[in-house]
Amino acid sequence: MEKKNLDWSNLSFSYMKTDYRFVANYTNGAWDEGALTADDMITMSEDAGVLQYAQTVFEGLKAYETKDGRIVTFRPDLNAERLHDSALRLEIPPITKEMFLKSVQETVAANAAWVPPFGSGASLYLRPYIFGINPVIGVKPADDYQYRIFATPVGPYFKGGAKPISIKVSDFDRAAPHGSGNIKAGLNYAMSLHAIVTAHNEGFAENVYLDPATRTKIEETGGANIIFTDGNGTLVVPKSDSILPSITRRSLVYVAEHYLGMKIEEREVLLEEVMSGKFTEGGLCGTAAVISPIGKITDHGREFTFASGMEEMGPVMTKLRETLTGIQMGEIEAPEGWVVEIKL
């Protein structure tokens, strides 16, 4: 299998059409078996449920080439479980874990030539999603749905890769108590678009959102969970019912405890703890970025710069990132079931 002729080391984080995608349809109360197709176009009614009432959920995961030339994915079973939970919350009939894993296997295998080579810093990003497709004019769940998964080769999520970024405390709320903040729904990200455009216009890479009830506690950013280290060997992870259960965050917590011997605190984290200098390093973590170090946080004119600074990632975040990416790339032995090989 010959790789596509791309400048793999200089890919941006953007969409590029690849050869195949997987499509399944839910009609008459049941999902069909689904199949690969070369057609990247979607045809649906102008009144489709997804267009009228934003009834859609999605996932994000990656395929990699390991040092020994295998193509693998990372913990796809957890993506399957999260998509299932997201679907139930929006009254979408979930697909089975078996169909999810099948679709990942078939989509990656069919697009193997698009998987970036080991060492390029790039990966094949996978986007599974489900949406209401039949006409819906009254406010109610759709009757028919489509599940799709496409693949696209991508570079780093943030420009500069693992360089520290500057973020701001947002004036907006990301999610409401008892709302949909803990699922991966398209509507959550639509709500963040005005806030992220505002942040970018002001020179920041991202927003940090506070709890909507008291606006005193750190929750997460528009596209990633947040983690902190305290300089004493402890990884501190903000805890809230409206935070998305990031697979990368859960993996980093395991790595910190079982590979690096760190202590773990998953608890409410006050903004004032951060701004007063309690933590020496901070990072955004997610599938797309793995870890992007936070260099500076601005809160309405107040600024706090982490001890690790704006020049390079701090030592703890560096070790966490190197260990997790080493596991993903096959350079470090993975816990059982974490790395799933694609059969070609």
Side-chain angles (χ1 to χ4, degrees):
M1 181 270 301
E2 186 177 348
K3 298 280 187 187
K4 298 292 182 179
N5 184 23
L6 299 177
D7 185 2
W8 300 107
S9 297
N10 290 299
L11 292 177
S12 62
F13 195 90
S14 58
Y15 173 77
M16 183 183 300
K17 179 185 172 183
T18 53
D19 296 331
Y20 294 98
R21 63 277 312 134
F22 182 95
V23 181
N25 290 287
Y26 182 91
T27 54
N28 300 317
W31 285 102
D32 63 22
E33 293 184 356
L36 292 171
T37 176
D39 187 1
D40 63 322
M41 292 292 107
I42 299 172
T43 301
M44 59 185 173
S45 167
E46 62 186 354
D47 187 37
V50 64
L51 300 179
Q52 305 308 315
Y53 302 117
Q55 198 185 13
T56 180
V57 293
F58 71 99
E59 274 299 318
L61 67 159
K62 291 179 177 180
Y64 310 82
E65 185 175 272
T66 61
K67 193 172 185 177
D68 59 5
R70 296 176 298 137
I71 295 175
V72 301
T73 57
F74 183 71
R75 307 191 78 178
D77 57 315
L78 296 189
N79 293 99
E81 291 170 9
R82 193 169 62 181
L83 187 66
H84 177 277
D85 294 343
S86 296
L88 290 181
R89 178 65 175 81
L90 291 195
E91 288 295 326
I92 295 172
I95 63 169
T96 64
K97 180 183 288 189
E98 290 73 23
M99 177 182 279
F100 184 92
L101 296 177
K102 169 191 171 184
S103 70
V104 169
Q105 159 66 39
E106 292 187 7
T107 303
V108 177
N111 293 295
W114 295 90
V115 178
F118 174 79
S120 64
S123 56
L124 189 71
Y125 187 79
L126 307 173
R127 172 54 58 85
Y129 56 111
I130 313 174
F131 56 96
I133 198 169
N134 70 288
V136 180
I137 197 66
V139 180
K140 70 179 188 69
D143 296 315
D144 300 335
Y145 296 84
Q146 189 166 101
Y147 166 69
R148 300 177 73 97
I149 175 171
F150 65 80
T152 184
V154 297
Y157 187 73
F158 289 105
K159 293 178 181 178
K163 295 288 288 184
I165 60 174
S166 179
I167 65 177
K168 63 168 287 192
V169 174
S170 180
D171 291 321
F172 299 95
D173 293 331
R174 177 187 161 271
H178 312 296
S180 59
N182 63 342
I183 65 167
K184 206 165 177 66
L187 57 91
N188 292 345
Y189 294 81
M191 294 292 288
S192 75
L193 296 179
H194 177 63
I196 192 62
V197 168
T198 301
H200 287 170
N201 288 340
E202 295 174 356
F204 299 98
E206 250 289 12
N207 291 286
V208 55
Y209 291 99
L210 305 178
D211 73 293
T214 70
R215 293 193 57 80
T216 61
K217 303 164 190 171
I218 297 284
E219 292 227 319
E220 62 176 306
T221 69
N225 283 183
I226 302 177
I227 54 176
F228 301 100
T229 60
D230 68 357
N232 296 311
T234 301
L235 183 70
V236 181
V237 182
K239 186 177 182 179
S240 165
D241 290 340
S242 58
I243 291 177
L244 185 73
S246 163
I247 294 164
T248 303
R249 186 205 74 215
R250 285 180 275 172
S251 301
L252 286 168
V253 166
Y254 185 93
V255 164
E257 183 176 8
H258 297 280
Y259 283 68
L260 304 183
M262 299 178 68
K263 292 180 290 184
I264 308 297
E265 289 185 9
E266 295 195 52
R267 61 173 177 81
E268 293 181 339
V269 175
L270 296 175
L271 173 63
E272 286 307 313
E273 291 183 81
V274 180
M275 301 305 289
S276 65
K278 181 167 184 177
F279 305 116
T280 54
E281 297 179 46
L284 277 54
C285 59
T287 299
V290 184
I291 296 179
S292 287
I294 305 169
K296 182 168 64 178
I297 295 181
T298 299
D299 175 26
H300 300 87
R302 290 194 302 163
E303 290 186 352
F304 172 72
T305 302
F306 286 92
S308 49
M310 289 296 296
E311 295 303 315
E312 59 184 23
M313 183 182 286
V316 180
M317 294 294 166
T318 296
K319 191 64 178 174
L320 281 168
R321 189 178 192 277
E322 288 178 348
T323 306
L324 184 58
T325 56
I327 290 170
Q328 292 172 331
M329 296 294 183
E331 297 179 291
I332 297 173
E333 185 174 356
E336 186 175 356
W338 277 28
V339 176
V340 177
E341 184 172 356
I342 299 297
K343 298 178 179 64
L344 300 181

